[in-house]
Amino acid sequence: MIPKTLISDVSDLVEKTGTLGTECATGVESLFAFAQTQTTECAASFYEPIMCLVLQGAKEAHVNGRVVRYSAGDTLIVSHAIPVEAAVMQASPDAPYTALALRLDLAMARSMQDEMADFEGSASAHALNAAASDAALIDAIHRLFNLSKDPVEARSLAPLVLREIHFRLLRARHGGMLRQLLNQESPASRIAQAIATMRANYKTNLPVADLASDCGMSLSAFHEHFRSVTATTPLQYQKELRLLEARRLLVSENVSVATAAYDVGYESPTQFSREYSRKFGIPPSMQRPRNVPLTATAS
């Protein structure tokens, strides 16, 4: 059960800061609030490794044909940076969609490997999963939000509560893929390594065979594990990165179509325009300037 005071406190923060429909920073660096008074169309973005607790309303994430719906009381866990299309499905001015999102600290999670040694939770084949939150996890997130209101308490106590939240996410029945990251040699960890390389070098044509070699995998095994984690292929993943960054350049920096194409690694503006139109439903020349980030929280 989500405390009504938590819903009202998060809504009040978003309203006070004028951040309705966008990420709202709190007094804890990795914790964000979100509120939306109306439903939205599916929009493409990248989700970072993150946890999202829905306080009110509902949202859907689409990952290569798989649909994950998360509503009030549910926690979404995203273990790897993946391309998604997401939409707010339940929201109104009287009952806004409201959520808290926490960017995951994978180093902190891995530091708990010894504590999790005897835990026998099920594995997961997906990097994005949602399920009902237990009372202990909701309570920990509530306490973290309350700490965010006081800078002194946040500096002193938030690290302890953050560790508790990561521990509870690792023990959650839908935290299977996150648990796999505890082992640095697991396929999930190796794919995370490849993803980091691809994101840092998305403008470059990285040979997939080199990525597989860096992960210590055969080419076929790399393709299999990469698709299992991200629900897409390495080449498609890179294309998603390029197109989303190109959209950010077009809408935030108002560059030309050709400049956006070349800046993200395309050699042909014509090919770029064709793939952009296929992805976003409009040609890049018709993209209106607005604030669209390359990555987004799952809130």
Side-chain angles (χ1 to χ4, degrees), residues 165-204:
I165 290 171
H166 282 74
F167 175 77
R168 297 196 180 283
L169 292 172
L170 286 166
R171 286 177 60 91
R173 63 185 179 89
H174 57 309
M177 184 63 79
L178 194 60
R179 287 191 292 274
Q180 292 180 47
L181 288 173
L182 296 181
N183 180 2
Q184 294 275 19
E185 298 303 316
S186 69
S189 288
R190 295 182 183 186
I191 295 303
Q193 170 191 331
I195 286 173
T197 299
M198 295 174 73
R199 297 187 71 195
N201 302 277
Y202 68 90
K203 300 179 183 181
T204 306

PDB file of all heavy atoms in Angstrom, residues 165-204:
ATOM      1  N   ILE A 165      18.010  -0.152  -0.123  1.00  0.00           N
ATOM      2  CA  ILE A 165      17.148  -0.269  -1.300  1.00  0.00           C
ATOM      3  C   ILE A 165      17.767  -1.208  -2.329  1.00  0.00           C
ATOM      4  O   ILE A 165      17.080  -2.070  -2.889  1.00  0.00           O
ATOM      5  CB  ILE A 165      16.884   1.120  -1.919  1.00  0.00           C
ATOM      6  CG1 ILE A 165      15.988   1.945  -0.982  1.00  0.00           C
ATOM      7  CG2 ILE A 165      16.230   0.987  -3.298  1.00  0.00           C
ATOM      8  CD1 ILE A 165      15.838   3.392  -1.401  1.00  0.00           C
ATOM      9  N   HIS A 166      19.059  -1.074  -2.578  1.00  0.00           N
ATOM     10  CA  HIS A 166      19.715  -1.974  -3.528  1.00  0.00           C
ATOM     11  C   HIS A 166      19.637  -3.422  -3.040  1.00  0.00           C
ATOM     12  O   HIS A 166      19.422  -4.348  -3.837  1.00  0.00           O
ATOM     13  CB  HIS A 166      21.173  -1.550  -3.745  1.00  0.00           C
ATOM     14  CG  HIS A 166      21.334  -0.371  -4.661  1.00  0.00           C
ATOM     15  ND1 HIS A 166      21.037   0.909  -4.281  1.00  0.00           N
ATOM     16  CD2 HIS A 166      21.742  -0.293  -5.954  1.00  0.00           C
ATOM     17  CE1 HIS A 166      21.261   1.733  -5.292  1.00  0.00           C
ATOM     18  NE2 HIS A 166      21.707   1.025  -6.315  1.00  0.00           N
ATOM     19  N   PHE A 167      19.816  -3.618  -1.752  1.00  0.00           N
ATOM     20  CA  PHE A 167      19.716  -4.963  -1.178  1.00  0.00           C
ATOM     21  C   PHE A 167      18.319  -5.534  -1.420  1.00  0.00           C
ATOM     22  O   PHE A 167      18.165  -6.701  -1.830  1.00  0.00           O
ATOM     23  CB  PHE A 167      20.028  -4.904   0.317  1.00  0.00           C
ATOM     24  CG  PHE A 167      19.836  -6.210   1.037  1.00  0.00           C
ATOM     25  CD1 PHE A 167      20.775  -7.223   0.939  1.00  0.00           C
ATOM     26  CD2 PHE A 167      18.703  -6.428   1.817  1.00  0.00           C
ATOM     27  CE1 PHE A 167      20.601  -8.436   1.607  1.00  0.00           C
ATOM     28  CE2 PHE A 167      18.526  -7.633   2.481  1.00  0.00           C
ATOM     29  CZ  PHE A 167      19.470  -8.633   2.383  1.00  0.00           C
ATOM     30  N   ARG A 168      17.296  -4.744  -1.185  1.00  0.00           N
ATOM     31  CA  ARG A 168      15.921  -5.233  -1.347  1.00  0.00           C
ATOM     32  C   ARG A 168      15.576  -5.469  -2.817  1.00  0.00           C
ATOM     33  O   ARG A 168      14.814  -6.383  -3.146  1.00  0.00           O
ATOM     34  CB  ARG A 168      14.935  -4.268  -0.692  1.00  0.00           C
ATOM     35  CG  ARG A 168      15.161  -4.156   0.815  1.00  0.00           C
ATOM     36  CD  ARG A 168      13.995  -3.544   1.549  1.00  0.00           C
ATOM     37  NE  ARG A 168      14.278  -3.460   2.984  1.00  0.00           N
ATOM     38  CZ  ARG A 168      14.214  -4.489   3.827  1.00  0.00           C
ATOM     39  NH1 ARG A 168      13.869  -5.701   3.380  1.00  0.00           N
ATOM     40  NH2 ARG A 168      14.488  -4.331   5.105  1.00  0.00           N
ATOM     41  N   LEU A 169      16.143  -4.676  -3.710  1.00  0.00           N
ATOM     42  CA  LEU A 169      15.936  -4.911  -5.144  1.00  0.00           C
ATOM     43  C   LEU A 169      16.604  -6.213  -5.577  1.00  0.00           C
ATOM     44  O   LEU A 169      16.054  -6.961  -6.390  1.00  0.00           O
ATOM     45  CB  LEU A 169      16.480  -3.742  -5.960  1.00  0.00           C
ATOM     46  CG  LEU A 169      15.737  -2.414  -5.816  1.00  0.00           C
ATOM     47  CD1 LEU A 169      16.500  -1.301  -6.525  1.00  0.00           C
ATOM     48  CD2 LEU A 169      14.308  -2.511  -6.359  1.00  0.00           C
ATOM     49  N   LEU A 170      17.781  -6.481  -5.038  1.00  0.00           N
ATOM     50  CA  LEU A 170      18.472  -7.729  -5.369  1.00  0.00           C
ATOM     51  C   LEU A 170      17.692  -8.945  -4.869  1.00  0.00           C
ATOM     52  O   LEU A 170      17.726 -10.009  -5.492  1.00  0.00           O
ATOM     53  CB  LEU A 170      19.872  -7.725  -4.759  1.00  0.00           C
ATOM     54  CG  LEU A 170      20.901  -6.817  -5.451  1.00  0.00           C
ATOM     55  CD1 LEU A 170      22.133  -6.642  -4.577  1.00  0.00           C
ATOM     56  CD2 LEU A 170      21.291  -7.386  -6.811  1.00  0.00           C
ATOM     57  N   ARG A 171      16.971  -8.801  -3.779  1.00  0.00           N
ATOM     58  CA  ARG A 171      16.190  -9.901  -3.229  1.00  0.00           C
ATOM     59  C   ARG A 171      14.788 -10.002  -3.834  1.00  0.00           C
ATOM     60  O   ARG A 171      14.092 -10.995  -3.614  1.00  0.00           O
ATOM     61  CB  ARG A 171      16.065  -9.747  -1.710  1.00  0.00           C
ATOM     62  CG  ARG A 171      17.339 -10.075  -0.952  1.00  0.00           C
ATOM     63  CD  ARG A 171      17.173  -9.836   0.539  1.00  0.00           C
ATOM     64  NE  ARG A 171      16.105 -10.658   1.094  1.00  0.00           N
ATOM     65  CZ  ARG A 171      16.279 -11.879   1.614  1.00  0.00           C
ATOM     66  NH1 ARG A 171      17.490 -12.418   1.630  1.00  0.00           N
ATOM     67  NH2 ARG A 171      15.271 -12.540   2.124  1.00  0.00           N
ATOM     68  N   ALA A 172      14.386  -8.989  -4.594  1.00  0.00           N
ATOM     69  CA  ALA A 172      13.041  -8.988  -5.174  1.00  0.00           C
ATOM     70  C   ALA A 172      12.892 -10.110  -6.189  1.00  0.00           C
ATOM     71  O   ALA A 172      13.858 -10.483  -6.870  1.00  0.00           O
ATOM     72  CB  ALA A 172      12.766  -7.638  -5.836  1.00  0.00           C
ATOM     73  N   ARG A 173      11.700 -10.637  -6.311  1.00  0.00           N
ATOM     74  CA  ARG A 173      11.492 -11.752  -7.237  1.00  0.00           C
ATOM     75  C   ARG A 173      11.712 -11.340  -8.689  1.00  0.00           C
ATOM     76  O   ARG A 173      11.997 -12.193  -9.541  1.00  0.00           O
ATOM     77  CB  ARG A 173      10.092 -12.350  -7.062  1.00  0.00           C
ATOM     78  CG  ARG A 173       8.923 -11.433  -7.382  1.00  0.00           C
ATOM     79  CD  ARG A 173       7.608 -12.126  -7.031  1.00  0.00           C
ATOM     80  NE  ARG A 173       6.437 -11.311  -7.277  1.00  0.00           N
ATOM     81  CZ  ARG A 173       5.780 -11.276  -8.432  1.00  0.00           C
ATOM     82  NH1 ARG A 173       6.200 -12.023  -9.442  1.00  0.00           N
ATOM     83  NH2 ARG A 173       4.729 -10.510  -8.585  1.00  0.00           N
ATOM     84  N   HIS A 174      11.610 -10.037  -8.988  1.00  0.00           N
ATOM     85  CA  HIS A 174      11.867  -9.590 -10.361  1.00  0.00           C
ATOM     86  C   HIS A 174      13.243  -8.935 -10.485  1.00  0.00           C
ATOM     87  O   HIS A 174      13.512  -8.223 -11.446  1.00  0.00           O
ATOM     88  CB  HIS A 174      10.771  -8.633 -10.836  1.00  0.00           C
ATOM     89  CG  HIS A 174      10.558  -7.419  -9.995  1.00  0.00           C
ATOM     90  ND1 HIS A 174      10.370  -7.466  -8.648  1.00  0.00           N
ATOM     91  CD2 HIS A 174      10.499  -6.091 -10.321  1.00  0.00           C
ATOM     92  CE1 HIS A 174      10.199  -6.251  -8.173  1.00  0.00           C
ATOM     93  NE2 HIS A 174      10.296  -5.405  -9.164  1.00  0.00           N
ATOM     94  N   GLY A 175      14.142  -9.220  -9.518  1.00  0.00           N
ATOM     95  CA  GLY A 175      15.497  -8.684  -9.584  1.00  0.00           C
ATOM     96  C   GLY A 175      16.506  -9.681 -10.117  1.00  0.00           C
ATOM     97  O   GLY A 175      17.712  -9.528  -9.883  1.00  0.00           O
ATOM     98  N   GLY A 176      16.037 -10.681 -10.858  1.00  0.00           N
ATOM     99  CA  GLY A 176      16.913 -11.748 -11.324  1.00  0.00           C
ATOM    100  C   GLY A 176      18.054 -11.289 -12.203  1.00  0.00           C
ATOM    101  O   GLY A 176      19.206 -11.712 -12.030  1.00  0.00           O
ATOM    102  N   MET A 177      17.772 -10.413 -13.169  1.00  0.00           N
ATOM    103  CA  MET A 177      18.839  -9.938 -14.046  1.00  0.00           C
ATOM    104  C   MET A 177      19.816  -9.057 -13.271  1.00  0.00           C
ATOM    105  O   MET A 177      21.035  -9.109 -13.505  1.00  0.00           O
ATOM    106  CB  MET A 177      18.259  -9.164 -15.232  1.00  0.00           C
ATOM    107  CG  MET A 177      19.307  -8.723 -16.253  1.00  0.00           C
ATOM    108  SD  MET A 177      20.170 -10.100 -17.065  1.00  0.00           S
ATOM    109  CE  MET A 177      18.925 -10.576 -18.278  1.00  0.00           C
ATOM    110  N   LEU A 178      19.312  -8.291 -12.323  1.00  0.00           N
ATOM    111  CA  LEU A 178      20.185  -7.485 -11.480  1.00  0.00           C
ATOM    112  C   LEU A 178      21.112  -8.382 -10.666  1.00  0.00           C
ATOM    113  O   LEU A 178      22.306  -8.081 -10.520  1.00  0.00           O
ATOM    114  CB  LEU A 178      19.336  -6.615 -10.555  1.00  0.00           C
ATOM    115  CG  LEU A 178      20.022  -5.472  -9.815  1.00  0.00           C
ATOM    116  CD1 LEU A 178      20.630  -4.478 -10.796  1.00  0.00           C
ATOM    117  CD2 LEU A 178      19.032  -4.770  -8.898  1.00  0.00           C
ATOM    118  N   ARG A 179      20.581  -9.497 -10.163  1.00  0.00           N
ATOM    119  CA  ARG A 179      21.415 -10.431  -9.401  1.00  0.00           C
ATOM    120  C   ARG A 179      22.509 -11.034 -10.261  1.00  0.00           C
ATOM    121  O   ARG A 179      23.620 -11.296  -9.784  1.00  0.00           O
ATOM    122  CB  ARG A 179      20.545 -11.544  -8.791  1.00  0.00           C
ATOM    123  CG  ARG A 179      19.687 -11.086  -7.628  1.00  0.00           C
ATOM    124  CD  ARG A 179      19.066 -12.261  -6.908  1.00  0.00           C
ATOM    125  NE  ARG A 179      18.062 -12.962  -7.696  1.00  0.00           N
ATOM    126  CZ  ARG A 179      16.779 -12.623  -7.756  1.00  0.00           C
ATOM    127  NH1 ARG A 179      16.333 -11.569  -7.080  1.00  0.00           N
ATOM    128  NH2 ARG A 179      15.932 -13.314  -8.480  1.00  0.00           N
ATOM    129  N   GLN A 180      22.228 -11.243 -11.542  1.00  0.00           N
ATOM    130  CA  GLN A 180      23.244 -11.815 -12.420  1.00  0.00           C
ATOM    131  C   GLN A 180      24.448 -10.881 -12.573  1.00  0.00           C
ATOM    132  O   GLN A 180      25.565 -11.331 -12.838  1.00  0.00           O
ATOM    133  CB  GLN A 180      22.636 -12.119 -13.791  1.00  0.00           C
ATOM    134  CG  GLN A 180      21.612 -13.251 -13.775  1.00  0.00           C
ATOM    135  CD  GLN A 180      21.039 -13.524 -15.152  1.00  0.00           C
ATOM    136  OE1 GLN A 180      21.769 -13.620 -16.127  1.00  0.00           O
ATOM    137  NE2 GLN A 180      19.728 -13.645 -15.241  1.00  0.00           N
ATOM    138  N   LEU A 181      24.221  -9.580 -12.382  1.00  0.00           N
ATOM    139  CA  LEU A 181      25.313  -8.613 -12.510  1.00  0.00           C
ATOM    140  C   LEU A 181      26.292  -8.676 -11.347  1.00  0.00           C
ATOM    141  O   LEU A 181      27.367  -8.077 -11.406  1.00  0.00           O
ATOM    142  CB  LEU A 181      24.744  -7.195 -12.620  1.00  0.00           C
ATOM    143  CG  LEU A 181      24.052  -6.851 -13.939  1.00  0.00           C
ATOM    144  CD1 LEU A 181      23.383  -5.495 -13.847  1.00  0.00           C
ATOM    145  CD2 LEU A 181      25.032  -6.877 -15.098  1.00  0.00           C
ATOM    146  N   LEU A 182      25.921  -9.391 -10.279  1.00  0.00           N
ATOM    147  CA  LEU A 182      26.833  -9.526  -9.143  1.00  0.00           C
ATOM    148  C   LEU A 182      28.096 -10.282  -9.538  1.00  0.00           C
ATOM    149  O   LEU A 182      29.163 -10.060  -8.978  1.00  0.00           O
ATOM    150  CB  LEU A 182      26.136 -10.251  -7.984  1.00  0.00           C
ATOM    151  CG  LEU A 182      24.930  -9.539  -7.356  1.00  0.00           C
ATOM    152  CD1 LEU A 182      24.370 -10.382  -6.222  1.00  0.00           C
ATOM    153  CD2 LEU A 182      25.302  -8.163  -6.856  1.00  0.00           C
ATOM    154  N   ASN A 183      27.959 -11.169 -10.494  1.00  0.00           N
ATOM    155  CA  ASN A 183      29.087 -11.961 -10.977  1.00  0.00           C
ATOM    156  C   ASN A 183      29.718 -11.266 -12.180  1.00  0.00           C
ATOM    157  O   ASN A 183      29.105 -11.187 -13.243  1.00  0.00           O
ATOM    158  CB  ASN A 183      28.622 -13.368 -11.348  1.00  0.00           C
ATOM    159  CG  ASN A 183      29.758 -14.240 -11.871  1.00  0.00           C
ATOM    160  OD1 ASN A 183      30.917 -13.816 -11.928  1.00  0.00           O
ATOM    161  ND2 ASN A 183      29.432 -15.456 -12.252  1.00  0.00           N
ATOM    162  N   GLN A 184      30.933 -10.768 -12.008  1.00  0.00           N
ATOM    163  CA  GLN A 184      31.596 -10.022 -13.084  1.00  0.00           C
ATOM    164  C   GLN A 184      31.819 -10.866 -14.331  1.00  0.00           C
ATOM    165  O   GLN A 184      31.990 -10.324 -15.427  1.00  0.00           O
ATOM    166  CB  GLN A 184      32.947  -9.488 -12.584  1.00  0.00           C
ATOM    167  CG  GLN A 184      32.832  -8.441 -11.485  1.00  0.00           C
ATOM    168  CD  GLN A 184      32.619  -7.044 -12.042  1.00  0.00           C
ATOM    169  OE1 GLN A 184      32.219  -6.868 -13.181  1.00  0.00           O
ATOM    170  NE2 GLN A 184      32.887  -6.045 -11.227  1.00  0.00           N
ATOM    171  N   GLU A 185      31.831 -12.192 -14.180  1.00  0.00           N
ATOM    172  CA  GLU A 185      32.078 -13.065 -15.324  1.00  0.00           C
ATOM    173  C   GLU A 185      30.792 -13.586 -15.952  1.00  0.00           C
ATOM    174  O   GLU A 185      30.837 -14.368 -16.903  1.00  0.00           O
ATOM    175  CB  GLU A 185      32.947 -14.253 -14.884  1.00  0.00           C
ATOM    176  CG  GLU A 185      34.319 -13.852 -14.377  1.00  0.00           C
ATOM    177  CD  GLU A 185      35.094 -13.048 -15.419  1.00  0.00           C
ATOM    178  OE1 GLU A 185      35.073 -13.430 -16.597  1.00  0.00           O
ATOM    179  OE2 GLU A 185      35.700 -12.026 -15.043  1.00  0.00           O
ATOM    180  N   SER A 186      29.640 -13.185 -15.444  1.00  0.00           N
ATOM    181  CA  SER A 186      28.375 -13.668 -15.991  1.00  0.00           C
ATOM    182  C   SER A 186      28.120 -13.043 -17.360  1.00  0.00           C
ATOM    183  O   SER A 186      28.634 -11.958 -17.669  1.00  0.00           O
ATOM    184  CB  SER A 186      27.227 -13.316 -15.056  1.00  0.00           C
ATOM    185  OG  SER A 186      27.015 -11.911 -15.051  1.00  0.00           O
ATOM    186  N   PRO A 187      27.332 -13.706 -18.222  1.00  0.00           N
ATOM    187  CA  PRO A 187      26.970 -13.092 -19.504  1.00  0.00           C
ATOM    188  C   PRO A 187      26.326 -11.724 -19.327  1.00  0.00           C
ATOM    189  O   PRO A 187      26.585 -10.817 -20.122  1.00  0.00           O
ATOM    190  CB  PRO A 187      25.988 -14.112 -20.102  1.00  0.00           C
ATOM    191  CG  PRO A 187      26.391 -15.413 -19.504  1.00  0.00           C
ATOM    192  CD  PRO A 187      26.821 -15.090 -18.105  1.00  0.00           C
ATOM    193  N   ALA A 188      25.502 -11.548 -18.287  1.00  0.00           N
ATOM    194  CA  ALA A 188      24.858 -10.249 -18.059  1.00  0.00           C
ATOM    195  C   ALA A 188      25.885  -9.157 -17.825  1.00  0.00           C
ATOM    196  O   ALA A 188      25.757  -8.036 -18.343  1.00  0.00           O
ATOM    197  CB  ALA A 188      23.911 -10.347 -16.865  1.00  0.00           C
ATOM    198  N   SER A 189      26.936  -9.449 -17.050  1.00  0.00           N
ATOM    199  CA  SER A 189      27.988  -8.460 -16.795  1.00  0.00           C
ATOM    200  C   SER A 189      28.803  -8.186 -18.051  1.00  0.00           C
ATOM    201  O   SER A 189      29.194  -7.044 -18.320  1.00  0.00           O
ATOM    202  CB  SER A 189      28.906  -8.945 -15.672  1.00  0.00           C
ATOM    203  OG  SER A 189      28.266  -8.882 -14.427  1.00  0.00           O
ATOM    204  N   ARG A 190      29.080  -9.212 -18.821  1.00  0.00           N
ATOM    205  CA  ARG A 190      29.868  -9.019 -20.037  1.00  0.00           C
ATOM    206  C   ARG A 190      29.094  -8.193 -21.070  1.00  0.00           C
ATOM    207  O   ARG A 190      29.684  -7.359 -21.767  1.00  0.00           O
ATOM    208  CB  ARG A 190      30.272 -10.373 -20.616  1.00  0.00           C
ATOM    209  CG  ARG A 190      31.228 -11.154 -19.703  1.00  0.00           C
ATOM    210  CD  ARG A 190      31.647 -12.472 -20.316  1.00  0.00           C
ATOM    211  NE  ARG A 190      32.493 -13.239 -19.410  1.00  0.00           N
ATOM    212  CZ  ARG A 190      33.093 -14.368 -19.725  1.00  0.00           C
ATOM    213  NH1 ARG A 190      32.951 -14.874 -20.950  1.00  0.00           N
ATOM    214  NH2 ARG A 190      33.851 -15.001 -18.850  1.00  0.00           N
ATOM    215  N   ILE A 191      27.797  -8.414 -21.153  1.00  0.00           N
ATOM    216  CA  ILE A 191      26.991  -7.618 -22.075  1.00  0.00           C
ATOM    217  C   ILE A 191      26.927  -6.170 -21.589  1.00  0.00           C
ATOM    218  O   ILE A 191      26.951  -5.234 -22.388  1.00  0.00           O
ATOM    219  CB  ILE A 191      25.581  -8.213 -22.224  1.00  0.00           C
ATOM    220  CG1 ILE A 191      25.662  -9.595 -22.885  1.00  0.00           C
ATOM    221  CG2 ILE A 191      24.683  -7.278 -23.043  1.00  0.00           C
ATOM    222  CD1 ILE A 191      26.342  -9.620 -24.243  1.00  0.00           C
ATOM    223  N   ALA A 192      26.858  -5.974 -20.274  1.00  0.00           N
ATOM    224  CA  ALA A 192      26.894  -4.617 -19.732  1.00  0.00           C
ATOM    225  C   ALA A 192      28.191  -3.923 -20.132  1.00  0.00           C
ATOM    226  O   ALA A 192      28.212  -2.719 -20.440  1.00  0.00           O
ATOM    227  CB  ALA A 192      26.750  -4.653 -18.211  1.00  0.00           C
ATOM    228  N   GLN A 193      29.289  -4.667 -20.134  1.00  0.00           N
ATOM    229  CA  GLN A 193      30.583  -4.130 -20.565  1.00  0.00           C
ATOM    230  C   GLN A 193      30.526  -3.723 -22.036  1.00  0.00           C
ATOM    231  O   GLN A 193      31.001  -2.642 -22.418  1.00  0.00           O
ATOM    232  CB  GLN A 193      31.662  -5.194 -20.360  1.00  0.00           C
ATOM    233  CG  GLN A 193      33.019  -4.882 -20.973  1.00  0.00           C
ATOM    234  CD  GLN A 193      33.954  -6.094 -20.952  1.00  0.00           C
ATOM    235  OE1 GLN A 193      33.853  -6.954 -20.083  1.00  0.00           O
ATOM    236  NE2 GLN A 193      34.846  -6.152 -21.929  1.00  0.00           N
ATOM    237  N   ALA A 194      29.939  -4.568 -22.872  1.00  0.00           N
ATOM    238  CA  ALA A 194      29.822  -4.254 -24.299  1.00  0.00           C
ATOM    239  C   ALA A 194      28.943  -3.032 -24.516  1.00  0.00           C
ATOM    240  O   ALA A 194      29.239  -2.171 -25.365  1.00  0.00           O
ATOM    241  CB  ALA A 194      29.253  -5.458 -25.047  1.00  0.00           C
ATOM    242  N   ILE A 195      27.864  -2.938 -23.754  1.00  0.00           N
ATOM    243  CA  ILE A 195      26.963  -1.794 -23.872  1.00  0.00           C
ATOM    244  C   ILE A 195      27.704  -0.499 -23.535  1.00  0.00           C
ATOM    245  O   ILE A 195      27.551   0.518 -24.220  1.00  0.00           O
ATOM    246  CB  ILE A 195      25.736  -1.983 -22.959  1.00  0.00           C
ATOM    247  CG1 ILE A 195      24.794  -3.022 -23.564  1.00  0.00           C
ATOM    248  CG2 ILE A 195      25.003  -0.661 -22.735  1.00  0.00           C
ATOM    249  CD1 ILE A 195      23.630  -3.402 -22.665  1.00  0.00           C
ATOM    250  N   ALA A 196      28.523  -0.526 -22.484  1.00  0.00           N
ATOM    251  CA  ALA A 196      29.284   0.662 -22.105  1.00  0.00           C
ATOM    252  C   ALA A 196      30.232   1.080 -23.234  1.00  0.00           C
ATOM    253  O   ALA A 196      30.365   2.275 -23.545  1.00  0.00           O
ATOM    254  CB  ALA A 196      30.071   0.391 -20.824  1.00  0.00           C
ATOM    255  N   THR A 197      30.868   0.103 -23.871  1.00  0.00           N
ATOM    256  CA  THR A 197      31.761   0.402 -24.993  1.00  0.00           C
ATOM    257  C   THR A 197      30.995   1.001 -26.161  1.00  0.00           C
ATOM    258  O   THR A 197      31.434   1.988 -26.776  1.00  0.00           O
ATOM    259  CB  THR A 197      32.478  -0.886 -25.454  1.00  0.00           C
ATOM    260  OG1 THR A 197      33.257  -1.417 -24.374  1.00  0.00           O
ATOM    261  CG2 THR A 197      33.389  -0.603 -26.647  1.00  0.00           C
ATOM    262  N   MET A 198      29.835   0.434 -26.473  1.00  0.00           N
ATOM    263  CA  MET A 198      29.044   0.917 -27.596  1.00  0.00           C
ATOM    264  C   MET A 198      28.520   2.323 -27.349  1.00  0.00           C
ATOM    265  O   MET A 198      28.490   3.160 -28.254  1.00  0.00           O
ATOM    266  CB  MET A 198      27.886  -0.045 -27.855  1.00  0.00           C
ATOM    267  CG  MET A 198      28.329  -1.428 -28.310  1.00  0.00           C
ATOM    268  SD  MET A 198      26.965  -2.608 -28.439  1.00  0.00           S
ATOM    269  CE  MET A 198      26.152  -1.989 -29.923  1.00  0.00           C
ATOM    270  N   ARG A 199      28.120   2.610 -26.129  1.00  0.00           N
ATOM    271  CA  ARG A 199      27.589   3.930 -25.832  1.00  0.00           C
ATOM    272  C   ARG A 199      28.684   4.987 -25.863  1.00  0.00           C
ATOM    273  O   ARG A 199      28.450   6.132 -26.251  1.00  0.00           O
ATOM    274  CB  ARG A 199      26.877   3.930 -24.475  1.00  0.00           C
ATOM    275  CG  ARG A 199      25.681   2.998 -24.452  1.00  0.00           C
ATOM    276  CD  ARG A 199      24.898   3.134 -23.174  1.00  0.00           C
ATOM    277  NE  ARG A 199      24.189   4.395 -23.140  1.00  0.00           N
ATOM    278  CZ  ARG A 199      23.656   4.915 -22.037  1.00  0.00           C
ATOM    279  NH1 ARG A 199      23.798   4.299 -20.892  1.00  0.00           N
ATOM    280  NH2 ARG A 199      22.993   6.052 -22.089  1.00  0.00           N
ATOM    281  N   ALA A 200      29.887   4.612 -25.448  1.00  0.00           N
ATOM    282  CA  ALA A 200      30.997   5.559 -25.471  1.00  0.00           C
ATOM    283  C   ALA A 200      31.518   5.801 -26.884  1.00  0.00           C
ATOM    284  O   ALA A 200      32.166   6.820 -27.137  1.00  0.00           O
ATOM    285  CB  ALA A 200      32.129   5.050 -24.580  1.00  0.00           C
ATOM    286  N   ASN A 201      31.221   4.871 -27.804  1.00  0.00           N
ATOM    287  CA  ASN A 201      31.768   4.952 -29.164  1.00  0.00           C
ATOM    288  C   ASN A 201      30.671   4.775 -30.213  1.00  0.00           C
ATOM    289  O   ASN A 201      30.903   4.184 -31.264  1.00  0.00           O
ATOM    290  CB  ASN A 201      32.839   3.868 -29.358  1.00  0.00           C
ATOM    291  CG  ASN A 201      33.978   3.973 -28.368  1.00  0.00           C
ATOM    292  OD1 ASN A 201      34.908   4.738 -28.555  1.00  0.00           O
ATOM    293  ND2 ASN A 201      33.913   3.192 -27.291  1.00  0.00           N
ATOM    294  N   TYR A 202      29.472   5.321 -29.928  1.00  0.00           N
ATOM    295  CA  TYR A 202      28.337   5.051 -30.823  1.00  0.00           C
ATOM    296  C   TYR A 202      28.509   5.659 -32.215  1.00  0.00           C
ATOM    297  O   TYR A 202      27.882   5.224 -33.179  1.00  0.00           O
ATOM    298  CB  TYR A 202      27.036   5.552 -30.194  1.00  0.00           C
ATOM    299  CG  TYR A 202      26.924   7.053 -30.071  1.00  0.00           C
ATOM    300  CD1 TYR A 202      26.368   7.813 -31.105  1.00  0.00           C
ATOM    301  CD2 TYR A 202      27.372   7.714 -28.948  1.00  0.00           C
ATOM    302  CE1 TYR A 202      26.269   9.186 -30.998  1.00  0.00           C
ATOM    303  CE2 TYR A 202      27.273   9.083 -28.831  1.00  0.00           C
ATOM    304  CZ  TYR A 202      26.718   9.813 -29.858  1.00  0.00           C
ATOM    305  OH  TYR A 202      26.629  11.181 -29.755  1.00  0.00           O
ATOM    306  N   LYS A 203      29.387   6.665 -32.355  1.00  0.00           N
ATOM    307  CA  LYS A 203      29.610   7.271 -33.667  1.00  0.00           C
ATOM    308  C   LYS A 203      30.508   6.406 -34.552  1.00  0.00           C
ATOM    309  O   LYS A 203      30.577   6.614 -35.757  1.00  0.00           O
ATOM    310  CB  LYS A 203      30.257   8.647 -33.502  1.00  0.00           C
ATOM    311  CG  LYS A 203      29.433   9.642 -32.711  1.00  0.00           C
ATOM    312  CD  LYS A 203      30.168  10.966 -32.573  1.00  0.00           C
ATOM    313  CE  LYS A 203      29.407  11.955 -31.719  1.00  0.00           C
ATOM    314  NZ  LYS A 203      30.112  13.260 -31.601  1.00  0.00           N
ATOM    315  N   THR A 204      31.193   5.455 -33.943  1.00  0.00           N
ATOM    316  CA  THR A 204      32.156   4.617 -34.651  1.00  0.00           C
ATOM    317  C   THR A 204      31.513   3.294 -35.043  1.00  0.00           C
ATOM    318  O   THR A 204      30.717   2.734 -34.290  1.00  0.00           O
ATOM    319  CB  THR A 204      33.375   4.336 -33.757  1.00  0.00           C
ATOM    320  OG1 THR A 204      33.914   5.573 -33.297  1.00  0.00           O
ATOM    321  CG2 THR A 204      34.436   3.551 -34.499  1.00  0.00           C
TER     322      THR A 204
END
